[in-house]
Amino acid sequence: MQNLKRQCCFTLALTLLLGAPLAQAANLAKDKGRVSAQTKSEPDSEEAKVLHLLGRATFGPRPGEIERVERQGLENYLNEQLHPESIALPDSVRQVENLDAIKLSPSSLFISYGKPAIAMAAKNDNNNTKVDKEKLKVLFKESYGKIHDETVQARLVRSAYSPRELEEVMVDFWYNHFNVSMSKGLDHVWIGSYEQAAIRPYAMGKFKDLVHATSHHAAMLFYLDNWQNTAARAADPNAVNLPRKKNNFQGINENFARELMELHTLGVDGGYSQKDVTELARVLTGLGLQKGSGGGPLRPNMEQLRAQRQALRAQRGAALNPGQRRNQVVQEYAPAFSGGINLTEANTRLGYYFDESRHDQGDKIVLGQKISRAGKSSGEQEIDQVIDLLCRHPSTAKHISYQLAQYFVADAPPQTLVDKLTKRYQETDGDIRAMLDTLFHSSEFWDPKYRGAKFKSPYRYVVSSIRATDSQIDNVKPLLGFLKQTGMPLYQCLTPDGYKNTKTAWLNPDNLINRLNFATAIGTGRFPGLVTNIQDPAAIADACTTDLSPKTIQAIKDAPDKLKAPLVLGSPEFMLY
């Protein structure tokens, strides 16, 4: 029976998705009298343009947004979105900035939610029994869970409700471009800080600032192992204090250098060689994490720590109960540990620490250009020099232009648009806002053949459904479960190339079945963790970029009333944008 149900659902989805000519039929809303079919189907109509822009520059229209943008004017709306700092945030969105996962520095996150807090709690004399240890495991799991939940809550709330809509889309784009997976070790505590401090401030700024910030954040340095990247003895004859073997710092690690060239800047066909990768890795030696703050063990001042622990016990009147909540552990033990180390040496915003003693002091040649320090300057300046070199390279301009054109226009973007964006990148020294301005004013972006040509990723499908139904998020976990089912767990793409944004990556039978189940649940107001405010199929259909096809309309008309909204959410037109 289950298989038969899946087969029926898939057949319906496939029929709707593949058999329906789009943008040819009357809008469902015609029956409801809101929008005339002629108005919406006309490619040059104002409403069609608004829908197209909202489909690409946001995660999908919210109720009433089409009319609001029509009143505001397309150009005024676009100009406002290109300058998000001019748009005030509601309290419901701004309050996510106060979450620990978002507001704390990488060092503070490590100390409060990483190994130090765990180690200090485990050293409590009363935590030696099997029961106590099991309770501690639960406690630590809750600690990790808190940071995870805060991070995904902040992303989903901002994507669904922030009026800075284009900025949220660009955060999603750049996070994926500079992907870091929270599934790798310590990165689970840093992922929120990474997006907040290294991605968000530069999402519409200069590309080289974005590369500099992501390259220096603790999350990236840990994810791609550069925190271990250390000058080889043979390449550094002057070094006398390099760490001995059998520790984390055993020589050159090329992981980050390779991805910095292949994925972040030049592109796989960007004209670099293996020798360039090795030389870039030498430049990046020493750029890592502070010991005691993610960069390996630090011998703390145990006498001081014991004294502080005893003082805490005296204040409490009893030993730490491992069953106490996570915040008690953090509040009491984290300060005790942080009192033993000096965090001021690490960059407080991004969490990196440059260790000159592990830096390769020799000259390097990257892309034919000599990279060397000038006078008494630090080796850290070599990194700034090479980031400038990579960001100003013509291959980077082409690579980033292609990525933007593919994300916003078509899976196989027109070369004419890529050329325009490349030219704009080079003219403005990689100004992302200027490139977006060129993109949104290009003839290619407005070409009717590209409207409704993109297939939503699972993340975009979820967020657009929340927005179209004006749903409120009470619990993010069911949403995360859906994203995991559809192969796009949030912040958990394991590979550094991020998730694909093409139709071939996401259009498959399992994905369609999962989407139909999701559509049924949210369309009937039964999706756990969401309060769905709109179940009117005509109102939801307004969020579709293209008109509903005759087959879709007929299927909706023939369906029971309670399934009409789910059918719109599960229609091919809603899955396209």
Side-chain angles (χ1 to χ4, degrees):
M1 180 61 74
Q2 187 66 23
N3 289 338
L4 179 61
K5 183 179 177 182
R6 285 172 58 87
Q7 186 176 358
C8 290
C9 289
F10 175 62
T11 301
L12 173 61
L14 205 60
T15 299
L16 291 174
L17 193 60
L18 302 180
L22 302 178
Q24 296 176 359
N27 190 306
L28 178 68
K30 178 181 180 182
D31 295 339
K32 299 293 181 181
R34 199 200 74 78
V35 182
S36 74
Q38 184 177 2
T39 300
K40 190 172 179 180
S41 296
E42 177 59 50
D44 292 329
S45 69
E46 187 68 8
E47 185 187 10
K49 290 182 177 179
V50 169
L51 274 168
H52 179 57
L53 182 61
L54 291 178
R56 301 297 172 93
T58 79
F59 286 110
R62 299 189 65 191
E65 188 166 23
I66 299 169
E67 295 86 341
R68 181 176 67 79
V69 175
E70 286 178 332
R71 289 194 300 272
Q72 182 180 6
L74 208 60
E75 190 63 30
N76 290 337
Y77 169 78
L78 181 56
N79 186 58
E80 184 182 68
Q81 291 298 319
L82 286 170
H83 298 84
E85 66 279 2
S86 67
I87 306 173
L89 292 176
D91 291 343
S92 58
V93 173
R94 187 171 290 282
Q95 66 185 6
V96 302
E97 298 174 1
N98 295 322
L99 298 172
D100 279 2
I102 306 302
K103 72 177 182 181
L104 293 183
S105 69
S107 295
S108 296
L109 284 166
F110 175 78
I111 290 174
S112 299
Y113 296 94
K115 287 183 178 179
I118 295 173
M120 291 301 295
K123 287 178 180 177
N124 191 317
D125 295 338
N126 279 7
N127 295 336
N128 294 326
T129 68
K130 183 177 180 180
V131 173
D132 286 344
K133 290 179 179 176
E134 288 300 318
K135 289 182 178 178
L136 273 176
K137 287 182 181 178
V138 174
L139 199 61
F140 300 149
K141 187 176 180 180
E142 289 179 354
S143 178
Y144 288 176
K146 170 182 164 61
I147 292 299
H148 171 266
D149 292 350
E150 287 184 353
T151 302
V152 297
Q153 180 187 353
R155 168 67 86 86
L156 284 168
V157 165
R158 284 165 156 167
S159 294
Y161 310 122
S162 174
R164 300 178 182 180
E165 298 169 306
L166 178 58
E167 180 181 65
E168 295 308 318
V169 169
M170 291 307 297
V171 167
D172 177 65
F173 173 82
W174 288 123
Y175 188 94
N176 201 55
H177 183 85
F178 296 99
N179 180 59
V180 168
S181 174
M182 70 188 312
S183 299
K184 181 172 180 177
L186 288 173
D187 274 325
H188 77 274
V189 299
W190 288 328
I191 216 72
S193 165
Y194 176 65
E195 182 173 299
Q196 180 71 14
I199 301 286
R200 185 169 293 276
Y202 313 103
M204 297 173 70
K206 291 279 189 175
F207 181 70
K208 66 180 179 183
D209 293 335
L210 193 54
V211 174
H212 185 278
T214 53
S215 298
H216 286 71
H217 196 279
M220 180 64 80
L221 294 170
F222 186 82
Y223 178 60
L224 290 177
D225 306 316
N226 203 74
W227 72 283
Q228 298 173 312
N229 187 16
T230 302
R233 288 178 181 275
D236 186 12
N238 298 320
V240 293
N241 295 318
L242 290 179
R244 290 179 295 181
K245 290 186 177 180
K246 297 184 179 180
N247 61 22
N248 291 315
F249 310 108
Q250 298 185 36
I252 295 291
N253 187 311
E254 297 178 354
N255 288 354
F256 180 52
R258 188 178 309 283
E259 306 306 353
L260 180 56
M261 283 185 161
E262 179 178 328
L263 299 176
H264 300 170
T265 56
L266 304 176
V268 66
D269 299 318
Y272 62 92
S273 65
Q274 173 55 39
K275 178 65 174 175
D276 289 318
V277 173
T278 302
E279 292 291 281
L280 177 57
R282 290 179 58 211
V283 174
L284 296 170
T285 50
L287 180 60
L289 307 169
Q290 186 178 15
K291 288 185 177 181
S293 186
L298 177 72
R299 185 182 297 276
N301 185 332
M302 294 308 298
E303 183 177 348
Q304 180 184 11
L305 291 177
R306 276 194 291 272
Q308 291 182 352
R309 202 160 59 223
Q310 289 172 358
L312 286 169
R313 288 177 183 173
Q315 291 174 7
R316 235 187 355 264
L320 179 68
N321 180 352
Q324 290 178 297
R325 304 295 297 173
R326 177 215 59 79
N327 58 344
Q328 291 174 295
V329 174
V330 171
Q331 290 172 4
E332 295 175 355
Y333 278 89
F337 190 89
S338 62
I341 62 176
N342 179 12
L343 293 178
T344 58
E345 294 180 12
N347 179 279
T348 54
R349 184 171 59 87
L350 300 174
Y352 74 91
Y353 173 69
F354 184 76
D355 187 346
E356 190 77 41
S357 71
R358 293 195 294 110
H359 182 68
D360 188 322
Q361 306 294 330
D363 290 342
K364 302 94 179 172
I365 304 294
V366 179
L367 300 172
Q369 184 165 324
K370 184 177 180 180
I371 305 295
S372 61
R373 63 181 60 193
K376 297 181 180 179
S377 63
S378 163
E380 199 172 352
Q381 290 180 280
E382 294 179 21
I383 299 173
D384 294 338
Q385 186 181 348
V386 84
I387 287 177
D388 274 352
L389 173 65
L390 291 172
C391 291
R392 288 176 176 165
H393 196 280
S395 293
T396 298
K398 293 177 184 177
H399 179 55
I400 300 305
S401 297
Y402 182 91
Q403 298 286 323
L404 283 171
Q406 184 185 62
Y407 187 86
F408 281 103
V409 177
D411 291 356
Q415 186 59 45
T416 51
L417 176 59
V418 175
D419 292 342
K420 289 178 184 176
L421 296 179
T422 300
K423 183 172 182 288
R424 189 67 164 160
Y425 180 103
Q426 294 172 321
E427 289 172 345
T428 61
D429 195 22
D431 188 315
I432 299 165
R433 193 191 322 270
M435 293 178 73
L436 290 173
D437 184 67
T438 297
L439 186 149
F440 288 124
H441 287 94
S442 70
S443 57
E444 292 84 355
F445 178 80
W446 295 105
D447 190 328
K449 72 180 179 181
Y450 294 124
R451 296 182 189 177
K454 294 284 292 182
F455 188 76
K456 293 177 181 176
S457 69
Y459 183 74
R460 183 177 283 268
Y461 179 69
V462 164
V463 177
S464 64
S465 298
I466 294 172
R467 290 168 63 89
T469 57
D470 193 28
S471 296
Q472 298 303 307
I473 302 173
D474 277 352
N475 183 356
V476 297
K477 290 184 177 178
L479 295 171
L480 298 179
F482 171 77
L483 291 172
K484 187 175 183 180
Q485 277 185 326
T486 51
M488 198 177 189
L490 191 54
Y491 297 117
Q492 294 183 56
C493 181
L494 295 176
T495 56
D497 55 344
Y499 291 118
K500 306 298 181 189
N501 71 82
T502 58
K503 180 189 291 185
T504 54
W506 301 114
L507 179 54
N508 57 68
D510 284 344
N511 226 317
L512 289 179
I513 293 297
N514 284 321
R515 291 189 188 205
L516 287 177
N517 289 335
F518 177 81
T520 301
I522 191 173
T524 54
R526 293 187 291 106
F527 190 84
L530 285 182
V531 177
T532 304
N533 293 316
I534 293 181
Q535 297 177 32
D536 177 0
I540 298 172
D542 285 342
C544 296
T545 302
T546 58
D547 294 340
L548 300 184
S549 72
K551 288 186 178 180
T552 300
I553 292 174
Q554 193 60 50
I556 294 169
K557 285 182 175 178
D558 293 343
D561 286 347
K562 64 180 181 181
L563 291 181
K564 292 184 186 300
L567 279 176
V568 177
L569 291 167
S571 70
E573 294 83 358
F574 193 82
M575 295 186 194
L576 302 173
Y577 67 106

